[in-house]
Amino acid sequence: PFLAHQSPAGGQSEPAVNAELVKLEKVWNEAHLSGDALALDNLWADDLVVTVPRMRVFTKADGLAILKSGHMRFERYETSNVHVQAYRDLAIATGRLRRTRTVGEKLVEDDWQFTKVYVRREGQWKVAAFHASEAPQ
């Protein structure tokens, strides 16, 4: 069957699921800004795959190591036009991400469109995939 016709995730109402996912989007953003590796460790699925411009594809372990190293810090991490949609135990979040980060001594600006895939495992939503591409100017 076509996913758009599936019932909301886990019997929860669609608004409740979408509100939970919107909250998790805020957790994601705030954890990046504050360098909160524990929050991201809890949010990311063990099999997370991250694909973003100008970086190699990386895993949960890679992402946590980057964050914990302190080599990269975020000064800005803002999303807009975020849309979330759940399909049983899978959900998709899309939107635009603007971030400013310091890598070593270099300031880097990113303006991306993103797609994030959440999976619900043992009653908890986890990010299994994050993909971003350059936003059109």
Side-chain angles (χ1 to χ4, degrees):
F2 191 67
L3 284 178
H5 298 286
Q6 300 283 346
S7 62
Q12 287 181 287
S13 72
E14 188 172 340
V17 171
N18 287 350
E20 182 177 356
L21 292 165
V22 167
K23 179 181 144 204
L24 292 175
E25 285 294 295
K26 289 178 184 173
V27 168
W28 170 286
N29 291 358
E30 290 168 5
H32 279 86
L33 266 177
S34 65
D36 188 343
L38 181 59
L40 291 173
D41 188 28
N42 289 329
L43 183 58
W44 293 348
D46 289 339
D47 54 352
L48 171 74
V49 176
V50 176
T51 309
V52 296
R54 300 178 307 279
M55 292 182 73
R56 66 176 175 79
V57 173
F58 61 92
T59 65
K60 177 179 182 173
D62 297 330
L64 291 174
I66 292 166
L67 193 64
K68 289 176 183 178
S69 76
H71 182 68
M72 181 169 61
R73 293 178 322 279
F74 293 98
E75 283 77 40
R76 176 183 183 199
Y77 205 102
E78 297 174 359
T79 52
S80 60
N81 301 323
V82 177
H83 175 75
V84 294
Q85 184 62 52
Y87 309 96
R88 294 194 185 185
D89 291 330
L90 178 115
I92 308 292
T94 58
R96 187 158 187 176
L97 169 62
R98 289 187 174 105
R99 61 188 209 167
T100 304
R101 56 193 165 105
T102 304
V103 181
E105 298 298 318
K106 183 179 175 187
L107 193 66
V108 180
E109 298 279 342
D110 299 309
D111 185 1
W112 295 342
Q113 294 180 145
F114 73 88
T115 302
K116 199 175 293 165
V117 178
Y118 286 88
V119 292
R120 194 165 64 171
R121 295 182 176 153
E122 298 173 9
Q124 289 191 319
W125 289 104
K126 303 280 186 174
V127 178
F130 178 77
H131 178 272
S133 58
E134 298 291 346
Q137 297 305 313

